């Protein structure tokens, strides 16, 4: 069975500092990997996805993630965060044949002034 | 273009009642998925529909059901509501396979069962 582990439930960081949100997955088959962001009282918005090809994926709002197959990780990074990045971030995996996501438990990013 | 529309946004129901939630996908999208989000369990997959056919169903009791209409609009129904059904219910639409084409989420329906 697939699973996703987000190692940090909360990450406080000062504005303009870099941040890394960690995500590990387990799966016995090839998977697709995603990061979504959820702002308060909103739905989820796709930040970036890895389907195949280059292991470094660039997304919206200056975020990027690197797929590491040997470590089964897909960590999200941003070199300089803004107050507006305060939100909850979800890592997700999908088995292409199942038409569903398996989500991690989320990481609350709080950017401090 | 208009996004995914979920109605109603907020709902309060009493234990034992039933509820129907609606999702209108982005025009041209034929896949609609539903997820339940709670603080304790996080985001859990309910079901996915494509062209009126359910392609997958999550591990929820039979009280949770859904359907999709010919215009791709979808509804989910929860019968005999329990306190634990209080959650944010999110709908997502995509062109075809939601995991190779982008899935767009609605703002959700927040259901409170009292």
């Amino acid at each position: 069975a697939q699973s996703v582990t987000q190692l940090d439930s909360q990450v406080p960081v000062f504005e303009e500092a870099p941040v890394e949100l960690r995500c590990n997955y387990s799966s016995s088959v090839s998977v697709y990997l995603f990061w979504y962001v959820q702002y308060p009282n909103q739905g989820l918005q796709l930040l970036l996805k890895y389907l195949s090809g280059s292991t470094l994926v660039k997304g919206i709002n200056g975020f990027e993630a690197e797929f590491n197959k040997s470590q089964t990780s897909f960590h999200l990074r941003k070199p300089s965060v803004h107050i507006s990045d305060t939100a909850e971030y979800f890592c997700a995996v999908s088995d292409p044949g199942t038409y569903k996501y398996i989500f991690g438990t989320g990481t609350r990013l709080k950017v401090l002034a | 273009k208009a996004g995914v529309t979920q109605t109603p946004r907020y709902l309060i129901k009493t234990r034992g009642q039933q509820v129907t939630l609606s999702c209108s996908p982005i025009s041209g999208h034929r896949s609609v998925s539903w997820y339940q989000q709670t603080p304790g369990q996080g985001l859990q997959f309910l079901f996915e529909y494509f062209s009126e056919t359910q392609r997958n169903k999550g591990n929820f009791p039979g009280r949770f059901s859904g359907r999709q209409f010919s215009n791709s609009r979808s509804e989910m129904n929860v019968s005999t509501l329990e306190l634990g059904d209080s959650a944010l219910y999110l709908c997502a639409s995509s062109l075809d396979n939601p995991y190779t084409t982008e899935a767009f989420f609605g703002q959700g329906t927040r259901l409170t069962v009292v």
Side-chain angles (χ1 to χ4, degrees), chain B residues 13-34:
Chain B
K13 289 288 189 179
T14 305
R15 267 184 305 175
Q17 287 186 313
Q18 76 163 19
V19 67
T20 299
L21 312 182
S22 179
C23 173
S24 293
I26 292 171
S27 177
H29 286 194
R30 294 194 293 167
S31 167
V32 174
S33 305
W34 289 89

Side-chain angles (χ1 to χ4, degrees), chain A residues 38 42-43 98-101, chain B residues 35 37 56 99-100 105-107:
Chain A
Q38 186 177 35
Q42 299 291 318
T98 65
Y99 308 107
K100 69 177 183 181
Y101 291 117
Chain B
Y35 289 82
Q37 185 176 22
N56 200 358
Y99 314 110
T100 52
F105 282 80
Q107 292 185 292

